Amino acid sequence: MTLGLDLERVASCYQTELRQFAERHPRSGEHYQENLKHWLYGAPLHWMQQWPGLYPILVADAQGATLTDCDGHTYVDFALGDTGAMFGHSQPAVAKAIGHQALHGSTLMLPTADSLWVGQELVRRFGLPYWQVTTSATDANRFVLRLCRMITGREKVLVFNCNYHGSVDESQVEFDSAGQMIPREGVHANGIKHATTTRLVEFNDLAALEAALAQGDVAAVLTEPFMTNVGMVPPAPGFHEGLRALTQRFDVPLIIDETHTISCGPGGYSGEHGLQADFFVLGKCIAGGIPAAVWGCSQAMAERIWQVLPHFQPGQAINHFGFGGTLAGNALQMAAMRATFSDVMTEANYAHMITLAERLREGVQRIIDTHRLPWHVTRIGARVEYLFMDHAPRNGGEAHHARHGLIEAYLHLYLLNRGVLLTPFHNMALMCPATTAQDVDLHNRLLDQCLSQVLAQTNLQGAAS
Ligand SMILES: Cc1ncc(COP(=O)(O)O)c(C=O)c1O
């Protein structure tokens, strides 16, 4: 038995699910064969190939918490574009704002009235006084790191093991079994000498953090407030206080990336827990699916930035700043962000999403207890994740070792074949304002059935032998 399950039984049940998948999704299969002729990995983005099953389902429509595929199946979508659609698909208010702005100029390289509203709202909601817009959270992180290097004159970026902040080059590292930092498995180093760009420590290890910062060469600490990309790793009691105190002691800007933890509430995890960063990054869900992200900084950081990159003066030669993007801050993004902040990222919607997330968490906990599995389930706000270890991991390395490709593939495919989508890559379920209690109960019932099926077959086999 591994992680409470007989892996041979899981493998055999998985084969049955793969056959069912092929039978149920013939049209998606045909499209995929065609797409393979044009797209490098059979879809516009290689991640799309990594859903459970033999190929990605082709989506015909998406509304609220529901997807419909080209074979006519509907799904309760708990993946929600891996947070990009955390407030539901095709939100009417956002769709209307996007449609309206598209008729009045989408990208102008000039501000619109919405920019004023959004700027004020970012300050009100997240507390930092100055903001910029980018087209992705990856970009926001990359740009903030560049600025941190400029203002500190230092080279290294400190990240936590098993982090994910987008394809930021410096962060593509991990510890090997001897605790040495190496390029992340499968990711080419891209000419980056990580020894000169990166310091890596485990999350929650304040002693290692202190030793790393004491070297005096760290330009920024980049972290999620609660790790979400390797399963969920909670901050230990006192970790955030220690992190803030150490970054202040060594004068190292602290960047908090709330791209996923915005699931916690309208102000993200920081808003819920009173964290104060020097820089704040947020992307994915803030513009209803229009590519957009924001980063904000404190007054002190802004003043340091203005010293190296002053405000433009009329008549001055045009300068490169090394960050931005032609489409960043465009009118369509601003209209979509305004509608998202005003109409969907509301207290009321969060309350609904969090109540349902708790219902899902409780259900999964009951299933774990009933089947006596050495698993656990975690929730932060509207985000729930189950992991194949019996306690919450203390750091990314621990969480990484609890992953199991085959068990994940089987669970995800069993659910998908019966109309429920979990986030590919891990066992994560997100609620949106349109998610219902019935949706949650369906997930919980199917998870129970799926595990009962493997365990019953294991028991039968045990009884027969
Ligand atoms: C915490 C965090 N930051 C940044 C990113 C990058 O977001 P994007 O791929 O939209 O640039 C991700 C993506 O999953 C993320 O989880």
Side-chain angles (χ1 to χ4, degrees), residues 201-277:
V201 299
E202 286 286 7
F203 197 65
N204 283 326
D205 188 345
L206 286 173
L209 178 68
E210 179 171 7
L213 297 187
Q215 304 294 312
D217 54 7
V218 174
V221 172
L222 170 61
T223 186
E224 289 188 278
F226 193 121
M227 291 184 84
T228 65
N229 279 298
V230 59
M232 294 212 278
V233 184
F239 175 68
H240 275 297
E241 292 78 359
L243 171 63
R244 185 67 283 209
L246 286 171
T247 47
Q248 281 176 334
R249 167 141 69 100
F250 292 106
D251 189 25
V252 176
L254 172 62
I255 309 164
I256 294 205
D257 179 352
E258 291 261 13
T259 297
H260 278 178
T261 45
I262 192 66
S263 64
C264 291
Y269 186 94
S270 296
E272 295 298 302
H273 297 270
L275 305 188
Q276 283 184 346

Side-chain angles (χ1 to χ4, degrees), residues 19 105 128 170 301 316 322 404 414 434 442 452:
R19 285 191 291 278
L128 291 172
E170 299 90 328
M301 292 298 133
Q316 186 185 321
H404 198 284
Y414 186 99
L442 175 66
S452 300

Side-chain angles (χ1 to χ4, degrees), residues 47 82 135-139 141 164-167 224 228-229 257-261 281 283-284:
W47 287 344
D82 191 13
T135 44
S136 70
T138 305
D139 265 1
N141 283 322
Y164 186 70
H165 297 284
S167 50
E224 289 188 278
T228 65
N229 279 298
D257 179 352
E258 291 261 13
T259 297
H260 278 178
T261 45
V281 168
K284 293 201 182 185

